Amino acid sequence: QVQLQESGPGLVKPSETLSLTCAVSGYSISNGDYWDWIRQPPGKGLEWIATISRGGILHYNPSLKRRVTISLDTSKNQFSLKLNSVTAADTAVYFCARHVFTEPVDYWGQGTLVTVSS
Amino acid sequence: DMQMTQSPSILTASVGDRVTITCRASQTISNYLAWYQQKPGKVPKLLIYKASSLESGVPSRFSGSGSGTEFTLTINSLQPDDFATYYCHQYNSYSTWTFGQGTKVEI
């Protein structure tokens, strides 16, 4: 059973960098597949952030692309998200997820709330 | 950029009703369209993938249809457990992803 768990600071100051990690268990990210970050501001809808594959394929939400870095660490079986120059509009529950090529998300992390505030 | 326009944003219905939610893509997405159900504080639950395929374990009262740019989710005989928010999601693996704005189904 694939399990994903997000971790990182729950509070980030404006203009700083939000950093999250998603630890994967029950499956090796070296096997392939695609690894995603999705967020949901409080009371609002889902917003896809970015996707990465072991093969080096990267896709970014165009509206966030210039601020986002996503990476894989196969030695730790985890992947990460960095979002720089954050504002209050980046306050959201951040989900990590997995999908197989040409399929939608099949596994989600439980989500972690990140609040941007001074 | 790809846009997904979902309607209505709020749908008021009663137990036993048949309800339909529509999602329109700004470009053709073939059948790379999924529907999710989300309840407050919970992770989205996959209902439909490839526009019309029912995810394992999902009740048969849920169905999806459409291709290209127009898609619908239908819930036949709405049950109390179905009151939730529903999202469409285009997942073309060759490109960027987009979610619809969501439809809240309320009593």
Side-chain angles (χ1 to χ4, degrees):
Chain A
Q1 176 77 353
V2 181
Q3 293 185 312
L4 297 91
Q5 179 66 59
E6 305 89 350
S7 62
L11 181 64
V12 181
K13 290 182 168 54
S15 80
E16 296 190 345
T17 296
L18 179 159
S19 295
L20 295 173
T21 297
C22 181
V24 180
S25 59
Y27 187 84
S28 172
I29 64 174
S30 296
N31 289 345
D33 300 321
Y34 293 73
W35 307 93
D36 315 299
W37 287 100
I38 295 163
R39 71 181 183 179
Q40 185 169 36
K44 296 187 178 181
L46 298 164
E47 181 180 35
W48 170 74
I49 301 171
T51 293
I52 187 169
S53 76
R54 185 179 66 86
I57 293 174
L58 292 165
H59 292 304
Y60 295 100
N61 184 322
S63 68
L64 298 170
K65 183 176 182 178
R66 64 180 178 83
R67 297 196 291 131
V68 170
T69 302
I70 184 172
S71 60
L72 283 177
D73 186 339
T74 55
S75 67
K76 295 182 178 179
N77 213 43
Q78 64 187 31
F79 60 107
S80 300
L81 171 73
K82 292 186 186 297
L83 179 66
N84 59 36
S85 304
V86 297
T87 70
D90 295 310
T91 293
V93 174
Y94 285 77
F95 296 98
C96 60
R98 184 199 87 157
H99 78 273
V100 175
F101 186 66
T102 71
E103 300 293 340
V105 170
D106 55 359
Y107 291 101
W108 296 75
Q110 64 185 20
T112 186
L113 175 62
V114 179
T115 301
V116 178
S117 174
S118 56
Chain B
D1 296 346
M2 170 72 73
Q3 302 293 327
M4 301 297 290
T5 304
Q6 188 174 339
S7 62
S9 55
I10 299 175
L11 192 160
T12 303
S14 300
V15 172
D17 284 354
R18 180 174 184 262
V19 302
T20 298
I21 300 168
T22 298
C23 194
R24 178 179 292 114
S26 59
Q27 307 167 29
T28 183
I29 58 171
S30 184
N31 65 345
Y32 293 118
L33 193 284
W35 291 96
Y36 288 92
Q37 176 195 69
Q38 188 182 33
K39 296 183 179 180
K42 301 296 186 182
V43 168
K45 175 186 176 182
L46 180 64
L47 303 174
I48 301 287
Y49 62 98
K50 288 184 180 175
S52 60
S53 296
L54 191 67
E55 174 71 351
S56 176
V58 173
S60 59
R61 63 180 179 274
F62 292 92
S63 64
S65 64
S67 66
T69 61
E70 296 276 341
F71 302 88
T72 59
L73 172 71
T74 299
I75 311 172
N76 284 303
S77 188
L78 200 66
Q79 297 300 301
D81 190 50
D82 301 337
F83 291 95
T85 300
Y86 294 83
Y87 295 94
C88 63
H89 170 213
Q90 74 81 13
Y91 58 93
N92 185 344
S93 287
Y94 297 96
S95 182
T96 60
W97 282 5
T98 316
F99 288 92
Q101 302 94 322
T103 296
K104 183 177 183 180
V105 176
E106 59 183 27
I107 300 173

